[in-house]
Amino acid sequence: MSTSGLTPRQARRLRVAAASVLLVAMAAVLVIRLASRTSVLVVGVYGLAMILCGVVIELSRNGRTRLGTWLLVGGLGAALAFDWLILP
């Protein structure tokens, strides 16, 4: 049992659900950003963030929940940083 009181199966399901919700959110942000300004960088940054969410879902389904959590936090943090710093 993990320190948060969740069973491994519950932790996997929670991370899959979180990554799925973030995948949908990244798709919505991509559509909004493309409506305001069409750019290959926008598609690249948010496309990679969506791919990362899919990778995290697969990692969580295969039991690699801690690695998936770190990738999700780090990758989405980097995507938001790129959006704020680099994208026009």
Side-chain angles (χ1 to χ4, degrees):
M1 191 165 213
S2 66
T3 59
S4 65
L6 296 174
T7 65
R9 185 176 187 163
Q10 289 172 329
R12 283 193 302 271
R13 286 185 178 196
L14 179 66
R15 284 175 180 90
V16 167
S20 299
V21 167
L22 289 170
L23 177 65
V24 171
M26 286 294 123
V29 171
L30 175 63
V31 169
I32 292 168
R33 292 283 286 161
L34 284 176
S36 66
R37 180 170 289 171
T38 303
S39 171
V40 174
L41 285 174
V42 171
V43 174
V45 167
Y46 287 103
L48 287 175
M50 291 170 59
I51 291 169
L52 179 68
C53 288
V55 167
V56 168
I57 290 169
E58 280 303 308
L59 284 172
S60 294
R61 287 181 56 213
N62 292 319
R64 305 296 299 173
T65 54
R66 287 186 188 135
L67 176 62
T69 300
W70 284 108
L71 282 175
L72 190 63
V73 170
L76 294 181
L80 293 174
F82 282 140
D83 184 21
W84 184 63
L85 295 172
I86 296 174
L87 296 177

